[in-house]
Amino acid sequence: MERIVIIPALDPDEKLRDIVERNWELEHQVILVDDGSKEAYQDLFQELSEKCVVLHHKENAGKGAAIKTALNYIKREMWESSVIGIMDADGQHLLEDMEKLLTRAIRMPKALLLGRRTIDENIPWRSRMGNVITRKVFQMMTGAKVSDTQTGLRAFSSELLDFMLDIPGERYEYEMNVLITCAREKIPMVEVPIHTIYHDKENSCSHFRRVRDSIRIYKQLFQFSAASFSSFLLDYGLFALFTLLLPKSPWGIAGANIGARVLSAAYNYTVNCRMVFKEKQTVKTAMDYLALAGVILVLNNIFLQGFLYLHIPVYPAKILTECILFLFSWMVQKKWIFRSKKDRYIKIQKSGEWS
């Protein structure tokens, strides 16, 4: 029953030597992926190759790509593997915690095990705020509660190897895509408490690029926002056009609003299917979306007429109405309309208890 630990590494320091040696002492088979490190680090990789498998990227391809390189190697060469762990190369994870996740993964072959750090004031401000924001966005997107979405300590059974290989992403966004895909496909995500280790207040050993990698992580939410904004522009333009053509009365404004909503909703449904949620257009999703559009249309007119009653000009009233209904539309589409159709159940475990 072979336990394998994947360690992606880019320009690692001396902590990596101790990490590999301690895994070797615990009889873990280590796959170390050199993700395009500089020439000065090649002697270290050569030395460590005596105690682990070392794979090389000629150029930096990203953490997700490094993990997939190791997973492909396991699939080709290590058929007897039972569980697979992933840990960082910067010494922020204890081997005792990796062992804890691997042991739990053996007992839970259908689940993804996540090392859950304690997010408090002792964690660097940048990392703490990033984790809080990502956790809230993730919960809004998926409906699943994971308290540490940025943990790099993970483990899973080799039964999930092909599943992990199919998940898109080459850099830091891969780890978030894993969580999103597990939530959508109803793969249980089990959080296991681990030690929290940071080497300095700025977490300077991290290769995370705040702007570029954050954009990758939040890509789907950005896509939904872009689709919604373009739908809003279409809706607003049609509304302005119809108000010019129809009588200046409450019924005329309602008619302009309904006509604009019907056309923009059809556009929004098509864009969300193809670009955001990557779901095929089916009769079921179309009917569900039609029902949502009907509810939003009723709410839209109620809010719009209410703002007009408060003597807010018609065009600002329209903008306020659309802003109010944006998050409602997102959550309904994500949680009910475009959810995965598989019938497994998701459970989130905290502190050893199912919740």
Side-chain angles (χ1 to χ4, degrees):
M1 187 176 291
E2 192 164 15
R3 301 183 180 194
I4 300 174
V5 175
I6 297 171
I7 306 177
L10 172 63
D11 298 340
D13 58 24
E14 291 297 316
K15 299 183 188 72
L16 179 59
R17 179 182 285 104
D18 182 58
I19 294 171
V20 170
E21 289 181 351
R22 292 180 65 194
N23 270 291
W24 185 74
E25 291 170 358
L26 291 170
E27 298 184 350
H28 297 163
Q29 173 64 67
V30 174
I31 300 180
L32 178 60
V33 183
D34 165 23
D35 188 27
S37 298
K38 298 182 180 68
E39 185 64 30
Y41 297 90
Q42 297 309 308
D43 288 343
L44 175 60
F45 287 115
Q46 180 62 35
E47 174 191 336
L48 295 178
S49 65
E50 297 179 3
K51 294 185 176 179
C52 68
V53 175
V54 179
L55 306 176
H56 296 274
H57 288 172
K58 291 183 179 180
E59 298 179 352
N60 176 249
K63 187 176 183 180
I67 292 171
K68 290 180 181 179
T69 293
L71 292 176
N72 273 310
Y73 181 87
I74 295 170
K75 184 176 180 179
R76 294 193 315 268
E77 307 291 341
M78 308 177 78
W79 304 323
E80 296 183 358
S81 63
S82 59
V83 288
I84 301 166
I86 301 172
M87 65 187 304
D88 294 337
D90 54 11
Q92 291 192 16
H93 301 142
L94 297 181
L95 265 295
E96 299 92 311
D97 290 328
M98 183 77 269
E99 182 77 9
K100 189 191 304 182
L101 264 67
L102 291 170
T103 300
R104 188 75 65 88
I106 292 173
R107 301 199 306 264
M108 308 181 71
K110 304 296 184 182
L112 170 65
L113 282 297
L114 302 170
R116 175 171 60 83
R117 299 164 296 177
T118 300
I119 309 300
D120 56 23
E121 64 277 1
N122 295 319
I123 289 182
W125 181 87
R126 184 182 70 179
S127 298
R128 185 168 71 250
M129 290 305 300
N131 210 309
V132 170
I133 293 171
T134 305
R135 181 173 70 241
K136 296 298 183 183
V137 171
F138 177 77
Q139 184 176 352
M140 183 179 67
M141 289 173 62
T142 66
K145 293 182 180 179
V146 175
S147 59
D148 188 2
T149 56
Q150 296 181 331
T151 179
L153 191 67
R154 304 180 177 196
F156 50 89
S157 165
S158 57
E159 293 182 25
L160 295 178
L161 192 153
D162 286 332
F163 172 80
M164 295 295 176
L165 276 171
D166 288 339
I167 296 174
E170 301 300 315
R171 296 189 178 274
Y172 282 101
E173 80 277 9
Y174 173 75
E175 293 179 307
M176 177 57 68
N177 289 345
V178 168
L179 300 184
I180 293 173
T181 307
C182 283
R184 291 187 63 194
E185 300 298 327
K186 312 306 178 190
I187 300 293
M189 290 178 285
V190 180
E191 294 196 272
V192 179
I194 63 173
H195 295 82
T196 305
I197 302 173
Y198 281 95
H199 300 298
D200 54 56
K201 292 183 177 180
E202 298 300 323
N203 195 24
S204 57
C205 58
S206 173
H207 293 285
F208 184 83
R209 296 165 295 186
R210 279 177 284 183
V211 176
R212 188 182 302 178
D213 291 320
S214 293
I215 289 175
R216 288 193 174 101
I217 289 172
Y218 299 127
K219 181 179 178 181
Q220 191 183 68
L221 184 60
F222 290 155
Q223 287 177 328
F224 180 81
S225 299
S228 297
F229 184 66
S230 62
S231 299
F232 163 73
L233 292 178
L234 177 62
D235 180 56
Y236 193 77
L238 291 172
F239 176 75
L241 175 63
F242 293 157
T243 54
L244 294 175
L245 300 177
L246 296 174
K248 307 296 183 183
S249 65
W251 289 109
I253 292 176
N257 194 38
I258 292 172
R261 289 297 303 175
V262 168
L263 294 176
S264 63
Y267 162 81
N268 185 255
Y269 169 73
T270 302
V271 171
N272 281 342
C273 277
R274 294 181 179 180
M275 297 180 59
V276 182
F277 299 107
K278 304 296 190 299
E279 294 284 341
K280 294 181 179 179
Q281 296 180 3
T282 64
V283 174
K284 184 181 185 304
T285 58
M287 294 303 295
D288 288 344
Y289 188 89
L290 182 62
L292 171 64
V295 172
I296 290 180
L297 181 58
V298 172
L299 295 175
N300 197 290
N301 278 287
I302 291 174
F303 283 120
L304 181 60
Q305 295 298 329
F307 288 135
L308 294 176
Y309 180 78
L310 296 174
H311 304 292
I312 298 176
V314 63
Y315 296 124
K318 176 67 172 173
I319 294 176
L320 286 173
T321 299
E322 296 300 329
C323 290
I324 290 172
L325 294 175
F326 168 78
L327 284 178
F328 172 75
S329 175
W330 157 261
M331 294 179 69
V332 172
Q333 290 183 63
K334 184 67 185 180
K335 192 168 183 179
W336 285 290
I337 296 179
F338 296 108
R339 65 182 175 180
S340 172
K341 299 169 184 62
K342 294 185 179 182
D343 56 0
R344 286 172 288 173
Y345 294 94
I346 185 168
K347 293 182 178 180
I348 306 298
Q349 188 186 55
K350 294 182 178 179
S351 302
E353 295 181 1
W354 291 107
S355 62

